Amino acid sequence: MNKDFTCLFAGEAGYGVMSAGSTLAKAAGRNGLWAFVVNEYPSLIKGGLNTCLVRLAASPLQAHEESLDFFAGLSQEGLEQNYSRLKPGAALLVDTAIKVESSRLPSDVRVYLLPLIQKGSGDVAKIMSNSAMLGAFCAISGFPLELVETVLAGEFKPEVFAKNRELLRAAFELAAEQAVVASFPLPVGANPAQKMLINGNDAISMGAIQAGCKFAAGYPMTPGSSVLTYLADHGPQFGLVFKQAEDEIAAMNMLIGAGYAGVRAIGSTSGGGFALMVEALGFAGLAEVPVVMVNAQRGGPSTGQPTRTAQADLAFVINSSQGEFPRIVLAVGDVEECFVETFRAFNLAEKYQIPVIILTDKYLADSSVTHPFFNTNGLTIERGKLADETWLAANRPYKRYEFTDDGVSVRAVPGMAGGRHIATSYTHGEDGFYSSGNREYAATEPEITVKALDKLFAKEPHILAELPAVKLHGPETADLTLVAWGSTKGAALEAMELAKAAGLSVNLLQVLYMSPFPAAAVEAVLGKAKHTLLLEGNKTAQLGALIRMHTGIYIDDNYLKYDSRAFTPSLILEKIKEVLA
């Protein structure tokens, strides 16, 4: 029996190929299987080739694979781009208008030409073509038709569902006449365990709501936008207010205003939008205002590749904005970390009165995976040194930026009696007054400047002591240690298991928190490593440079993927074998 099954739906935008994929993934997920779904689409307002890859298995999945067991296509372009991905013995289902070149097919590929594209005018006919495609898919693959019908029944109005079911069944019967109906290669059956199909950005949004976030602001930029749309749609029922700003600069300043007022706030963007926010980010750093930002990386620089993935903003985010100030940067690696670490990000932001940046990417942001419901046990909101009026009454005059051993001062918010203070973007003393322009500080400006910066950076040792900064997956020691961050985690973990099955000894160091950099934790793992292989989705090995800068350790080999597509387990396994040969 196959361990997994990968199907790719392809067609021009408007034909609903992504809906076809998500319908299959939901049907499988509700019936004992696990799915990983990857949507690909060009950066066009309308048109272009869309694809939806659905990988299914009987156990949880953490990445997609390139090779296809089934291709279902509604466009010539879709087939042209995917001939080479078909496995020997795969099934190929295309509309009759599409020309198939048999000479380009691997051995034993079964070809089905069926009238999938519906006749008629307008988008409705196009959209329902995906129902015909799903019906034929079920007949050829043996995937239960009634499971697909159940999902569609829950998503459409009765009259719309009736029309789609009619097409679904007609295509099923037509395909069944041409095909020997296969036995679907994975065990499909009712599963009492409740699961969801969720992508990274939705998980971040849910983590923010769970953490008590009450304000979100941003200016749409793919692939960060869906955090904003999720919070705009679902936030109000939890008391969250969303504001679409006129630009990213305004959005960041709104978030700082909310944080200053004591309201948990989050923004989301991509690298180009984040670039506009960084001067205000420095303001948050110097004024010690808690704020949480999401940077969902895409290919760049400049406008780059808006709908493709990359891991190329790490160095930029860690060093963004002028001057020196600490910030927390974490690179989530899967939907579980998107939820849990976003929750933790809000606690860290308030506890240390510091900007926290969640670094994700298009692959993680936009790909969906079957996942159990999030466990919220033990998630506790911590607001840090937040003053109340009793404390303020006993501690007068109030010094918002009092110098303390841990660098964190008691924070008052507007409206608290006795908590009046200045919040400024200027370097300042304990009372918030400008260290350079105020007569009080005229004679001690150099000393105040040093104290002010030392105060900010006094937080870092305490942050490092608290963070789960790195994760070691697999055995404590191995012949090869993979080093990865962000969404590469999933493919690396699966590759590690494939390597184990092949008799190879491999483990994985995941660097979860990038700033402050956990040098001691990284050094502890790499100091025991026999041979190391760096996996990054960028050209310049940015994590490798960070490791070298902070620990002096050089990674032995690099596998850098900057072709705008994510790593897959099988590609990493090939590199592992090459390195260990």
Side-chain angles (χ1 to χ4, degrees):
M1 178 179 293
N2 291 348
K3 290 181 63 177
D4 59 88
F5 181 88
T6 295
C7 176
L8 184 73
F9 298 96
E12 291 183 11
Y15 279 93
V17 296
M18 293 180 185
S19 296
S22 64
T23 298
L24 173 60
K26 289 176 183 175
R30 294 175 188 177
N31 292 275
L33 297 179
W34 301 77
F36 196 99
V37 181
V38 180
N39 292 318
E40 292 287 356
Y41 48 91
S43 178
L44 298 173
I45 299 299
K46 188 174 183 179
L49 176 66
N50 288 3
T51 65
C52 182
L53 181 147
V54 184
R55 185 183 178 209
L56 302 174
S59 55
L61 292 167
Q62 300 172 88
H64 77 294
E65 276 291 10
E66 289 295 328
S67 299
L68 304 177
D69 297 284
F70 201 111
F71 176 88
L74 299 174
S75 83
Q76 187 72 47
E77 183 184 5
L79 177 59
E80 295 294 331
Q81 292 186 11
N82 292 286
Y83 273 113
S84 61
R85 300 176 68 181
L86 288 166
K87 293 179 182 176
L92 174 64
L93 164 68
V94 292
D95 184 79
T96 48
I98 296 172
K99 181 181 178 182
V100 178
E101 295 182 52
S102 300
S103 61
R104 299 175 65 184
L105 296 174
S107 61
D108 301 324
V109 170
R110 295 165 290 147
V111 179
Y112 302 93
L113 294 169
L114 292 168
L116 301 174
I117 298 177
Q118 302 304 298
K119 307 300 180 186
S121 60
D123 290 339
V124 173
K126 284 185 179 180
I127 291 170
M128 287 195 295
S129 297
N130 62 10
S131 293
M133 185 163 59
L134 275 173
F137 165 81
C138 290
I140 296 168
S141 69
F143 189 85
L145 183 70
E146 61 273 17
L147 302 184
V148 173
E149 286 186 336
T150 301
V151 174
L152 294 179
E155 298 193 350
F156 291 135
K157 294 178 180 177
E159 60 273 20
V160 178
F161 168 64
K163 182 61 178 174
N164 278 275
R165 183 170 63 175
E166 180 182 335
L167 289 171
L168 188 80
R169 290 186 173 182
F172 179 90
E173 293 171 3
L174 185 60
E177 292 174 1
Q178 296 189 22
V180 176
V181 177
S183 174
F184 188 70
L186 299 172
V188 179
N191 183 4
Q194 290 184 310
K195 296 178 290 187
M196 55 187 172
L197 185 68
I198 186 169
N199 64 39
N201 273 2
D202 285 358
I204 286 174
S205 305
M206 294 168 72
I209 290 173
Q210 185 72 32
C213 177
K214 298 299 181 187
F215 181 71
Y219 186 81
M221 189 169 190
T222 304
S225 303
S226 56
V227 170
L228 305 177
T229 53
Y230 186 100
L231 293 174
D233 289 342
H234 302 283
Q237 61 184 303
F238 299 98
L240 183 146
V241 173
F242 168 72
K243 171 67 176 176
Q244 179 172 322
E246 64 268 32
D247 56 40
E248 286 87 348
I249 300 170
M252 191 59 169
N253 283 304
M254 290 177 184
L255 297 170
I256 293 171
Y260 171 70
V263 175
R264 290 192 160 193
I266 190 171
S268 181
T269 185
S270 187
F274 191 75
L276 293 172
M277 296 176 165
V278 297
E279 183 179 2
L281 182 76
F283 182 7
L286 191 55
E288 300 185 59
V289 176
V291 63
V292 176
M293 269 303 306
V294 178
N295 181 354
Q297 301 164 97
R298 67 190 202 185
S302 190
T303 306
Q305 295 172 294
T307 61
R308 306 303 184 197
T309 199
Q311 291 183 300
D313 288 355
L314 174 59
F316 164 55
V317 168
I318 286 177
N319 298 291
S320 53
S321 197
Q322 72 274 29
E324 300 172 299
F325 63 93
R327 81 287 307 271
I328 295 174
V329 178
L330 64 145
V332 287
D334 54 31
V335 296
E336 179 70 20
E337 289 175 356
C338 284
F339 177 76
V340 173
E341 297 302 334
T342 297
F343 184 94
R344 193 196 309 272
F346 282 92
N347 282 351
L348 292 170
E350 290 206 312
K351 188 172 180 178
Y352 294 101
Q353 300 168 20
I354 195 172
V356 178
I357 303 156
I358 301 169
L359 200 53
T360 180
D361 58 52
K362 189 270 176 188
Y363 182 68
L364 177 56
D366 207 25
S367 299
S368 299
V369 60
T370 309
H371 193 278
F373 286 8
F374 293 128
N375 182 1
T376 59
N377 294 334
L379 295 183
T380 303
I381 292 175
E382 301 173 18
R383 305 212 61 182
K385 294 182 181 179
L386 184 61
D388 59 29
E389 292 184 356
T390 301
W391 186 93
L392 289 167
N395 291 274
R396 293 188 176 183
Y398 172 58
K399 294 180 179 178
R400 169 64 185 94
Y401 301 106
E402 184 176 15
F403 298 137
T404 62
D405 291 339
D406 63 1
V408 182
S409 313
V410 177
R411 182 168 64 112
V413 299
M416 286 183 169
R420 186 175 63 181
H421 64 278
I422 291 173
T424 176
S425 64
Y426 286 108
T427 301
H428 51 261
E430 289 179 297
D431 54 8
F433 278 103
Y434 179 29
S435 67
S436 181
N438 192 287
R439 289 181 178 176
E440 182 182 352
Y441 294 131
T444 58
E445 181 188 335
E447 290 81 1
I448 293 297
T449 300
V450 170
K451 284 187 175 181
L453 276 176
D454 286 347
K455 176 188 189 302
L456 295 181
F457 281 92
K459 301 172 183 180
E460 286 198 341
H462 302 277
I463 296 171
L464 283 169
E466 176 176 347
L467 294 181
V470 302
K471 295 182 179 180
L472 180 62
H473 304 275
E476 186 172 346
T477 59
D479 292 336
L480 179 65
T481 297
L482 306 176
V483 181
W485 60 282
S487 67
T488 303
K489 171 188 177 183
L493 284 174
E494 286 204 28
M496 190 179 74
E497 293 302 316
L498 292 173
K500 181 180 179 182
L504 301 174
S505 173
V506 178
N507 60 8
L508 167 65
L509 170 63
Q510 177 198 0
V511 183
L512 179 60
Y513 279 81
M514 301 290 189
S515 178
F517 191 76
V522 170
E523 197 168 16
V525 175
L526 295 185
K528 299 177 183 176
K530 298 176 182 175
H531 198 93
T532 51
L533 171 61
L534 179 70
L535 307 170
E536 289 197 66
N538 58 57
K539 170 78 174 171
T540 54
Q542 296 183 17
L543 174 59
L546 267 183
I547 291 173
R548 189 164 62 250
M549 182 173 73
H550 287 281
T551 69
I553 296 174
Y554 283 75
I555 303 296
D556 297 313
D557 286 288
N558 291 344
Y559 181 11
L560 306 177
K561 197 170 190 302
Y562 43 93
D563 60 356
S564 76
R565 300 296 192 274
F567 286 95
T568 59
S570 55
L571 286 175
I572 296 175
L573 179 63
E574 287 179 19
K575 188 66 178 182
I576 289 172
K577 290 179 177 177
E578 177 187 322
V579 169
L580 290 180

